[in-house]
Amino acid sequence: MIPRSPCWLSLALAFTALLQQYGLVKGDADIESVRIHHDYKDMSGRGGDPKAKYWHESVFHPHYDGRFTNHTLPYEEQKANLSLLMQSYLASMSDIGAETWIIHGTLLGWWWNRKIMPWDSDIDVQMTNTTVHMLASYYNMTIHTFDISEDEKKDYMLEVNPKYTDPSYGDTLNVIDARWIDIETGLFIDITAVRPHPSKKGIMCSKDQHEETVRDLFPLRDSLFEDQSVKIPYNYARLLTQEYGNAALTKTEYSDHRFNSTSMEWERFMIQAEKGDVQLRYPDGSIDEEDGDEEEG
Ligand SMILES: *[C@@H]1O[C@H](CO)[C@@H](O)[C@H](O)[C@H]1NC(C)=O
Ligand SMILES: *[C@@H]1O[C@H](CO)[C@@H](O)[C@H](O)[C@H]1NC(C)=O
Ligand SMILES: *[C@@H]1O[C@H](CO)[C@@H](O)[C@H](O)[C@H]1NC(C)=O
Ligand SMILES: *[C@@H]1O[C@H](CO)[C@@H](O)[C@H](O)[C@H]1NC(C)=O
Ligand SMILES: *[C@@H]1O[C@H](CO)[C@@H](O)[C@H](O)[C@H]1NC(C)=O
């Protein structure tokens, strides 16, 4: 279609198409062109991963993309960057017209205070298979610039796993259908597609083997999350208690944090080393004798 018209624009378009095609044939993103830290070594687990696995999480942390960073961030920086990651995702998907909603631990964070839980770097969202297909067709490997403030911007990349077309639970190496990636810090959001279950009526399923009823998910509700408009599943309370139990909605202490119902924030215990001992000290000054090392994905 393009080569017919002789003007320079057509040539430029044809050239671009050729480059894109080359990119697809190669089967790997031209990551070098979007990397910010060119001096960092590639820390993705590529070498050790099975061949059929599309994503290569970093060798040092499962929730950092080793193509873009070689280290995790300190607590406050990670928290702030995760918040921006979420904001940029919700704003960009809304601009594109891609319907998406929050789920799992991210939905639990919404339940408590409309924010990501500060100890949780595993950010989960869902969308329908049709939407993932749309993103795969038009937005794979696109860079989206998010305005943090008038003079501060940050770039994010959308990447779609080509194996999204195979919905089977058997494809255990590729349960994440797409990712929204902060190309500066390597933090990312896991996007999973929900599809009608092949045999169970009224059930939607994703490749990570989570199953939700259509009636628990839809119609989606409007709310706010990290100060952005967000969609949440219709029956969020049932989904949360099913997945995490009633205690998750009431227990105000978790993973070295205590929920402050005045500030509506999860506050981290201050860790103080005294005479070689590590103690957990709450913001109000009380001390916890327990070992607070439990971790949650
Ligand atoms: C990350 O890469 C930079 C540049 O090569 C290097 O100076 C730094 O030590 C690396 N950090 C880690 C944790 O490997
Ligand atoms: C995000 O992380 C970077 C380090 O890569 C840090 O310089 C920056 O301050 C963090 N952003 C915020 C908003 O804290
Ligand atoms: C997205 O682009 C990458 C890099 O070119 C490619 O490896 C991947 O297969 C593409 N995904 C889809 C769904 O086409
Ligand atoms: C998901 O979408 C892809 C692309 O349109 C299609 O090949 C696949 O059959 C769909 N899967 C389901 C279960 O709807
Ligand atoms: C809870 O937050 C309020 C308001 O920020 C603060 O005054 C109070 O000290 C906090 N409570 C605890 C136990 O830290």
Side-chain angles (χ1 to χ4, degrees):
M1 28 153 203
I2 290 159
R4 280 289 174 83
S5 146
C7 79
W8 62 269
L9 182 64
S10 305
L11 280 174
L13 282 173
F15 184 62
T16 310
L18 202 73
L19 280 182
Q20 275 170 354
Q21 205 168 355
Y22 177 64
L24 285 175
V25 169
K26 236 172 48 165
D28 245 327
D30 179 16
I31 292 301
E32 206 42 54
S33 68
V34 292
R35 280 180 97 189
I36 292 175
H37 311 287
H38 292 279
D39 51 338
Y40 288 7
K41 217 168 77 190
D42 185 338
M43 300 289 273
S44 60
R46 197 175 299 273
D49 285 339
K51 232 178 152 172
K53 183 165 162 41
Y54 181 75
W55 306 110
H56 306 287
E57 292 79 13
S58 79
V59 292
F60 56 87
H61 196 288
H63 302 142
Y64 282 81
D65 187 324
R67 294 171 298 179
F68 299 109
T69 185
N70 67 355
H71 59 277
T72 57
L73 295 180
Y75 182 82
E76 290 297 341
E77 279 183 27
Q78 176 177 292
K79 191 174 166 207
N81 276 287
L82 283 175
S83 174
L84 291 174
L85 180 72
M86 196 71 226
Q87 291 175 33
S88 63
Y89 173 75
L90 293 173
S92 303
M93 289 305 116
S94 167
D95 286 351
I96 292 173
E99 186 179 72
T100 181
W101 58 92
I102 53 174
I103 196 80
H104 310 317
T106 309
L107 185 62
L108 185 58
W110 169 87
W111 192 87
W112 281 95
N113 62 357
R114 311 288 186 261
K115 288 179 186 160
I116 292 166
M117 298 183 296
W119 59 85
D120 192 8
S121 55
D122 184 5
I123 312 294
D124 287 304
V125 301
Q126 290 181 336
M127 51 179 58
T128 65
N129 184 40
T130 314
T131 305
V132 172
H133 181 57
M134 186 275 281
L135 295 181
S137 311
Y138 300 107
Y139 292 99
N140 186 29
M141 307 309 284
T142 48
I143 300 287
H144 303 252
T145 302
F146 180 65
D147 294 326
I148 301 171
S149 62
E150 286 209 348
D151 42 31
E152 236 186 315
K153 296 175 192 307
K154 217 161 137 50
D155 285 339
Y156 297 87
M157 187 174 88
L158 183 70
E159 180 168 3
V160 185
N161 187 338
K163 295 300 289 294
Y164 83 98
T165 49
D166 170 7
S168 77
Y169 281 179
D171 186 16
T172 54
L173 293 172
N174 293 292
V175 300
I176 305 301
D177 295 291
R179 274 187 178 155
W180 180 256
I181 306 161
D182 175 347
I183 62 172
E184 182 196 359
T185 67
L187 288 164
F188 54 81
I189 293 178
D190 279 338
I191 304 171
T192 47
V194 299
R195 309 161 170 96
H197 194 282
S199 54
K200 297 182 198 160
K201 215 170 156 237
I203 301 284
M204 304 294 284
C205 61
S206 37
K207 285 169 80 173
D208 55 9
Q209 306 201 15
H210 282 286
E211 298 181 356
E212 291 98 20
T213 68
V214 175
R215 293 175 72 170
D216 281 345
L217 287 179
F218 305 112
L220 297 169
R221 295 174 188 268
D222 288 309
S223 185
L224 285 178
F225 190 57
E226 295 287 347
D227 291 328
Q228 292 280 334
S229 299
V230 72
K231 299 268 184 199
I232 55 155
Y234 179 74
N235 205 344
Y236 55 86
R238 183 157 62 203
L239 291 178
L240 287 175
T241 46
Q242 258 172 14
E243 189 167 359
Y244 301 105
N246 286 318
L249 305 188
T250 52
K251 201 172 162 245
T252 53
E253 275 174 32
Y254 203 80
S255 190
D256 297 356
H257 289 71
R258 178 185 276 176
F259 192 72
N260 181 331
S261 55
T262 310
S263 64
M264 292 296 281
E265 292 284 344
W266 285 101
E267 291 170 348
R268 189 161 69 140
F269 310 161
M270 280 180 270
I271 295 169
Q272 294 202 339
E274 284 171 15
K275 298 188 199 104
D277 291 340
V278 173
Q279 287 182 328
L280 298 177
R281 192 183 288 269
Y282 292 91
D284 66 0
S286 65
I287 290 175
D288 199 323
E289 302 299 329
E290 279 175 55
D291 176 34
D293 268 353
E294 52 181 311
E295 263 292 331
E296 233 295 90

